[in-house]
Amino acid sequence: MKIAVCIKRVPVMEVKFAITADGSRYEETGLKYDINDFDLWAIEAALQLKEKAAAGSVHVVCLGPNAAQEQIRKAMAMGADSGVLLESDVRTYDGLTVARALAAELSDGGYDLILFGRVAIDSMNQMTGPMVAELLDLPVVTNVFKLDINGATGRAERVLEGASEVVEFPLPAVLTIDDGLNKERLPSLKGIMAAKKKPLDVKPANLDAPQVTVRSMALPAERSAGRIVGEGAAAVPELVRLLQTEAKVL
């Protein structure tokens, strides 16, 4: 089984963000980057399928700046066999532009499965995987938290609001992986050393003119300080009144 996993280089979220002076993007100075969390789970899903079959290969594709080679090498240290960087310093917010570039790279790869994380934690759009599936004319199953592949057929359980759905699909297919499927493995020292010798192809990304642009960004307003309205049961009436009149949540 030949599996492609599309990953995204995203900022580590446990930092304080700042907006550039023109308000068009977040300030990159001082940020650290890693593989998108959901994409890590997609990598793990691909590696487990390869190990279960005791055959096949896992290939990582990333669209991003030259520095994204670090994230591809991490995926290879986890166990992926090779990587491709579609290099671009343009930060695009147009999911279709990204999907077209990825689909062009994936179209002739002969992949049985193409995996994405369900969502990128920096944009939260959830659109790239389904768009790539449409462009490649492949079946797509989103929000997958259980997965089994048997020959040329797959069976996935996907998350719905308050429920789940079981879907059977033919291969090749595109899947987006949710956070319930697995926990990613940590790269071992042996894996890190092996990753240095695995093939990583860097090529320019072929990006269409974006149809979506960000005009401005703003940080959320600072939260007001909390206050104590009393103690014990005697404070309940005042708390309810404030929740109704000030917080307006009741």
Side-chain angles (χ1 to χ4, degrees):
M1 180 181 296
K2 187 177 182 182
I3 306 172
V5 185
C6 295
I7 68 171
K8 186 177 183 182
R9 176 182 186 259
V10 298
V12 174
M13 292 296 163
E14 289 76 23
V15 297
K16 187 173 182 179
F17 284 82
I19 305 299
T20 56
D22 63 3
S24 65
R25 56 192 177 88
Y26 57 81
E27 179 59 63
E28 295 190 47
T29 304
L31 294 183
K32 295 181 179 180
Y33 289 84
D34 202 350
I35 300 173
N36 176 51
D37 289 348
F38 289 84
D39 300 345
L40 285 170
W41 301 323
I43 294 167
E44 180 63 30
L47 295 175
Q48 289 187 18
L49 288 172
K50 174 187 171 182
E51 290 165 355
K52 182 178 179 180
S57 56
V58 175
H59 308 271
V60 174
V61 180
C62 179
L63 191 155
N66 188 268
Q69 291 188 54
E70 178 182 355
Q71 282 68 51
I72 296 175
R73 290 291 180 193
K74 177 177 178 178
M76 292 194 290
M78 292 171 65
D81 298 282
S82 70
V84 174
L85 173 62
L86 304 177
E87 185 177 1
S88 173
D89 291 325
V90 177
R91 187 191 297 174
T92 179
Y93 299 94
D94 187 341
L96 183 56
T97 296
V98 174
R100 283 173 173 158
L102 291 173
E105 173 62 30
L106 296 165
S107 60
D108 297 326
Y111 298 107
D112 300 292
L113 276 177
I114 299 173
L115 304 186
F116 289 80
R118 175 177 66 83
V119 64
I121 60 175
D122 61 341
S123 61
M124 302 299 289
N125 286 326
Q126 304 188 54
M127 65 175 65
T128 307
M131 284 181 171
V132 168
E134 177 67 19
L135 292 167
L136 297 177
D137 195 25
L138 293 176
V140 59
V141 184
T142 59
N143 300 15
V144 173
F145 71 93
K146 288 185 180 179
L147 177 62
D148 182 57
I149 303 296
N150 185 11
T153 303
R155 187 177 186 273
E157 193 166 348
R158 60 187 300 269
V159 178
L160 301 177
E161 187 173 351
S164 63
E165 179 181 55
V166 176
V167 180
E168 291 189 352
F169 56 91
L171 302 185
V174 176
L175 309 180
T176 72
I177 304 302
D178 212 340
D179 59 353
L181 186 59
N182 50 50
K183 178 67 175 176
E184 79 278 4
R185 67 192 67 188
L186 295 175
S188 65
L189 178 58
K190 181 179 179 181
I192 293 170
M193 298 304 294
K196 296 179 180 180
K197 299 179 181 180
K198 292 179 179 179
L200 196 169
D201 190 11
V202 179
K203 58 181 73 173
N206 184 17
L207 295 176
D208 296 339
Q211 302 298 305
V212 176
T213 58
V214 173
R215 298 181 62 180
S216 65
M217 288 186 177
L219 294 173
E222 293 289 339
R223 292 184 179 181
S224 58
R227 67 181 189 271
I228 298 174
V229 298
E231 295 184 6
V236 172
E238 177 63 7
L239 176 61
V240 171
R241 186 188 71 81
L242 292 173
L243 292 173
Q244 290 175 331
T245 60
E246 291 190 15
K248 300 186 185 303
V249 296
L250 294 179

Coordinates of all heavy atoms in Angstrom, one line a residue, residues 129-167:
G129 N -8.4 18.9 2.4 CA -8.6 17.5 2.1 C -9.7 17.2 1.1 O -9.6 16.6 0.1
P130 N -10.9 17.7 1.5 CA -12.1 17.4 0.6 C -11.9 18.1 -0.8 O -12.3 17.5 -1.8 CB -13.2 18.1 1.3 CG -12.9 17.9 2.8 CD -11.4 18.2 2.8
M131 N -11.2 19.2 -0.9 CA -11.0 19.9 -2.2 C -10.0 19.0 -3.0 O -10.2 18.9 -4.2 CB -10.4 21.3 -2.0 CG -11.5 22.3 -1.5 SD -10.7 23.9 -1.4 CE -12.2 25.0 -1.2
V132 N -9.0 18.5 -2.4 CA -8.1 17.7 -3.1 C -8.8 16.4 -3.6 O -8.6 16.0 -4.8 CB -6.9 17.3 -2.2 CG1 -6.0 16.1 -2.9 CG2 -6.0 18.5 -2.0
A133 N -9.6 15.8 -2.8 CA -10.4 14.7 -3.3 C -11.3 15.0 -4.5 O -11.3 14.2 -5.5 CB -11.3 14.2 -2.1
E134 N -11.9 16.1 -4.5 CA -12.7 16.6 -5.6 C -11.9 16.8 -6.8 O -12.3 16.3 -7.9 CB -13.5 17.8 -5.2 CG -14.3 18.4 -6.4 CD -15.5 17.5 -6.7 OE1 -15.9 16.7 -5.9 OE2 -16.1 17.7 -7.8
L135 N -10.8 17.4 -6.7 CA -9.9 17.7 -7.8 C -9.3 16.4 -8.4 O -9.1 16.3 -9.7 CB -8.7 18.6 -7.4 CG -9.1 20.0 -7.1 CD1 -8.0 20.8 -6.4 CD2 -9.6 20.8 -8.3
L136 N -9.1 15.4 -7.6 CA -8.6 14.1 -8.1 C -9.7 13.1 -8.4 O -9.4 12.0 -8.8 CB -7.6 13.5 -7.0 CG -6.4 14.3 -6.7 CD1 -5.6 13.6 -5.6 CD2 -5.5 14.5 -7.9
D137 N -10.9 13.5 -8.2 CA -12.1 12.6 -8.5 C -12.0 11.3 -7.7 O -12.2 10.2 -8.2 CB -12.2 12.3 -10.0 CG -13.6 11.8 -10.3 OD1 -14.5 12.0 -9.6 OD2 -13.7 11.0 -11.4
L138 N -11.7 11.5 -6.4 CA -11.6 10.3 -5.5 C -12.6 10.4 -4.4 O -13.1 11.5 -4.0 CB -10.2 10.3 -4.8 CG -9.0 10.1 -5.7 CD1 -7.7 10.2 -4.9 CD2 -9.1 8.7 -6.4
P139 N -13.1 9.3 -3.8 CA -14.0 9.3 -2.7 C -13.3 9.9 -1.5 O -12.1 9.8 -1.3 CB -14.3 7.9 -2.5 CG -13.2 7.1 -3.1 CD -12.8 7.9 -4.3
V140 N -14.0 10.6 -0.6 CA -13.4 11.2 0.6 C -14.3 10.9 1.8 O -15.5 10.9 1.7 CB -13.3 12.7 0.4 CG1 -14.7 13.4 0.1 CG2 -12.7 13.4 1.6
V141 N -13.6 10.6 2.9 CA -14.3 10.4 4.2 C -13.6 11.3 5.2 O -12.4 11.3 5.3 CB -14.2 8.9 4.7 CG1 -15.0 8.8 6.0 CG2 -14.7 8.0 3.6
T142 N -14.4 12.2 5.9 CA -13.8 13.2 6.8 C -14.0 12.8 8.2 O -14.8 11.9 8.5 CB -14.4 14.5 6.5 OG1 -15.9 14.5 6.7 CG2 -14.2 15.0 5.1
N143 N -13.2 13.4 9.1 CA -13.4 13.2 10.6 C -13.3 11.8 11.0 O -14.1 11.3 11.8 CB -14.8 13.8 11.0 CG -14.9 15.3 10.7 OD1 -14.2 15.9 9.9 ND2 -15.9 15.9 11.3
V144 N -12.3 11.1 10.5 CA -12.2 9.6 10.7 C -11.5 9.4 12.1 O -10.4 10.0 12.4 CB -11.3 9.0 9.6 CG1 -11.0 7.5 10.0 CG2 -12.0 9.1 8.3
F145 N -12.2 8.6 13.0 CA -11.5 8.3 14.2 C -11.4 6.8 14.4 O -10.8 6.3 15.4 CB -12.3 8.9 15.4 CG -13.6 8.3 15.7 CD1 -13.7 7.3 16.7 CD2 -14.8 8.8 15.1 CE1 -15.0 6.7 16.9 CE2 -16.0 8.2 15.4 CZ -16.1 7.2 16.3
K146 N -11.9 6.0 13.5 CA -11.6 4.5 13.5 C -11.4 4.2 12.0 O -12.1 4.6 11.1 CB -12.7 3.7 14.1 CG -12.8 3.8 15.6 CD -13.8 2.9 16.2 CE -13.9 3.0 17.7 NZ -15.0 2.1 18.2
L147 N -10.4 3.3 11.7 CA -10.1 3.0 10.3 C -9.6 1.6 10.2 O -8.8 1.1 11.0 CB -9.0 4.0 9.9 CG -8.5 3.8 8.4 CD1 -9.5 3.9 7.4 CD2 -7.3 4.7 8.2
D148 N -10.1 0.9 9.2 CA -9.6 -0.5 8.9 C -9.6 -0.6 7.3 O -10.5 -0.2 6.6 CB -10.5 -1.5 9.4 CG -10.0 -2.9 9.2 OD1 -8.9 -3.2 9.5 OD2 -10.8 -3.7 8.6
I149 N -8.5 -1.1 6.8 CA -8.3 -1.3 5.4 C -8.2 -2.8 5.1 O -7.4 -3.5 5.8 CB -7.0 -0.6 4.8 CG1 -7.1 0.9 5.1 CG2 -6.9 -0.9 3.3 CD1 -8.2 1.6 4.5
N150 N -9.0 -3.3 4.2 CA -9.0 -4.8 3.9 C -9.0 -4.9 2.4 O -10.0 -4.7 1.7 CB -10.2 -5.5 4.5 CG -10.2 -7.0 4.3 OD1 -9.2 -7.5 3.9 ND2 -11.3 -7.6 4.5
G151 N -7.8 -5.1 1.9 CA -7.6 -5.2 0.4 C -7.9 -3.9 -0.3 O -7.2 -2.9 0.1
A152 N -8.8 -3.9 -1.2 CA -9.1 -2.7 -1.9 C -10.3 -1.9 -1.4 O -10.9 -1.0 -2.0 CB -9.4 -3.0 -3.4
T153 N -10.7 -2.2 -0.1 CA -11.8 -1.6 0.5 C -11.4 -1.1 1.9 O -10.7 -1.7 2.6 CB -13.0 -2.6 0.6 OG1 -13.4 -3.1 -0.7 CG2 -14.2 -1.9 1.2
G154 N -12.0 0.1 2.3 CA -11.7 0.6 3.6 C -13.0 0.8 4.4 O -14.1 0.9 3.8
R155 N -12.9 0.8 5.7 CA -14.1 1.0 6.5 C -13.7 2.0 7.6 O -12.7 1.8 8.3 CB -14.5 -0.4 7.2 CG -15.8 -0.3 8.0 CD -16.2 -1.7 8.6 NE -17.4 -1.7 9.2 CZ -17.6 -1.4 10.5 NH1 -16.6 -1.0 11.2 NH2 -18.9 -1.4 11.0
A156 N -14.4 3.1 7.7 CA -14.0 4.1 8.6 C -15.2 4.5 9.4 O -16.4 4.5 9.0 CB -13.5 5.4 7.8
E157 N -15.0 4.9 10.7 CA -16.0 5.5 11.5 C -15.7 7.0 11.7 O -14.5 7.3 12.0 CB -16.0 4.8 12.9 CG -17.3 5.1 13.7 CD -17.5 4.2 14.9 OE1 -16.8 3.1 14.9 OE2 -18.4 4.5 15.7
R158 N -16.7 7.8 11.4 CA -16.4 9.2 11.4 C -17.3 9.9 12.4 O -18.4 9.5 12.8 CB -16.6 9.8 10.0 CG -18.0 9.7 9.5 CD -18.1 10.1 8.0 NE -17.7 11.5 7.9 CZ -18.6 12.5 7.9 NH1 -19.9 12.3 8.1 NH2 -18.2 13.8 7.8
V159 N -16.8 11.1 12.9 CA -17.5 11.8 14.0 C -18.6 12.6 13.4 O -18.5 13.3 12.4 CB -16.5 12.8 14.7 CG1 -17.2 13.6 15.8 CG2 -15.4 12.0 15.3
L160 N -19.8 12.5 14.0 CA -20.9 13.4 13.8 C -21.3 14.1 15.1 O -20.8 13.8 16.1 CB -22.1 12.7 13.2 CG -22.0 11.9 11.9 CD1 -23.3 11.1 11.6 CD2 -21.6 12.8 10.8
E161 N -22.1 15.2 15.0 CA -22.5 15.9 16.2 C -23.4 15.0 17.0 O -24.5 14.7 16.7 CB -23.2 17.2 15.8 CG -23.5 18.0 17.1 CD -24.0 19.4 16.7 OE1 -24.0 19.7 15.5 OE2 -24.5 20.1 17.6
G162 N -22.9 14.5 18.2 CA -23.7 13.7 19.0 C -23.8 12.2 18.6 O -24.6 11.5 19.2
A163 N -23.1 11.8 17.5 CA -23.2 10.5 17.0 C -22.0 10.1 16.2 O -21.0 10.9 16.1 CB -24.5 10.3 16.2
S164 N -22.0 8.9 15.6 CA -20.9 8.5 14.7 C -21.5 7.8 13.5 O -22.7 7.4 13.5 CB -19.9 7.6 15.4 OG -20.5 6.4 15.8
E165 N -20.8 7.7 12.4 CA -21.3 7.1 11.2 C -20.2 6.2 10.6 O -19.0 6.5 10.6 CB -21.5 8.2 10.2 CG -22.0 7.8 8.8 CD -22.2 8.9 7.8 OE1 -21.3 9.7 7.6 OE2 -23.4 9.0 7.3
V166 N -20.6 5.0 10.2 CA -19.7 4.0 9.6 C -19.8 4.1 8.1 O -20.9 4.0 7.6 CB -20.0 2.6 10.1 CG1 -19.1 1.6 9.4 CG2 -19.8 2.5 11.6
V167 N -18.6 4.2 7.4 CA -18.6 4.4 6.0 C -17.7 3.4 5.4 O -16.6 3.2 5.9 CB -18.1 5.8 5.6 CG1 -18.1 6.0 4.1 CG2 -19.0 6.9 6.2

